[in-house]
């Protein structure tokens, strides 16, 4: 069903950029921005692709998420 919006003023159609906001979204965005430009986190584990260790660890990670996909698999097969 088509829906028409507008007309919009010049101020209403501009992008809010670099304007302070009291919203939690702004605070979360600024936190992510500081993390992006900060030092990288310490890596707990690092694997070289193509090695048996990386293969086994990737298999463990994929297997640990199998239960999340089961409802979708069952819905698609029924």
């Amino acid at each position: 069903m088509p829906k028409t919006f507008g007309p919009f003023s010049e101020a209403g159609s501009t992008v809010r950029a670099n304007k302070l906001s009291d919203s939690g979204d702004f605070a979360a965005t600024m936190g992510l921005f500081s993390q992006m430009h900060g030092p990288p986190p310490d890596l707990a584990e690092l694997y070289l692709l193509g090695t048996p260790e990386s293969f086994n660890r990737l298999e463990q990670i994929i297997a640990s998420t199998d239960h999340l996909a089961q409802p979708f698999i069952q819905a698609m097969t029924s």
Side-chain angles (χ1 to χ4, degrees):
M1 174 180 235
K3 181 72 177 166
T4 304
F5 296 95
F8 297 103
S9 67
E10 180 69 28
S13 62
T14 58
V15 177
R16 279 186 58 99
N18 299 324
K19 296 180 183 177
L20 294 178
S21 171
D22 293 333
S23 73
D25 289 340
F26 179 76
T29 301
M30 293 309 293
L32 290 172
F33 185 72
S34 66
Q35 287 179 359
M36 284 177 16
H37 295 306
D42 292 334
L43 297 174
E45 53 188 352
L46 183 64
Y47 297 96
L48 179 64
L49 291 178
T51 62
E53 294 84 10
S54 68
F55 175 82
N56 291 333
R57 181 61 180 134
L58 187 57
E59 184 66 26
Q60 290 172 353
I61 292 170
I62 293 171
S64 72
T65 61
D66 283 349
H67 69 281
L68 299 173
Q70 285 304 317
F72 298 108
I73 295 169
Q74 291 173 355
M76 289 174 39
T77 57
S78 44

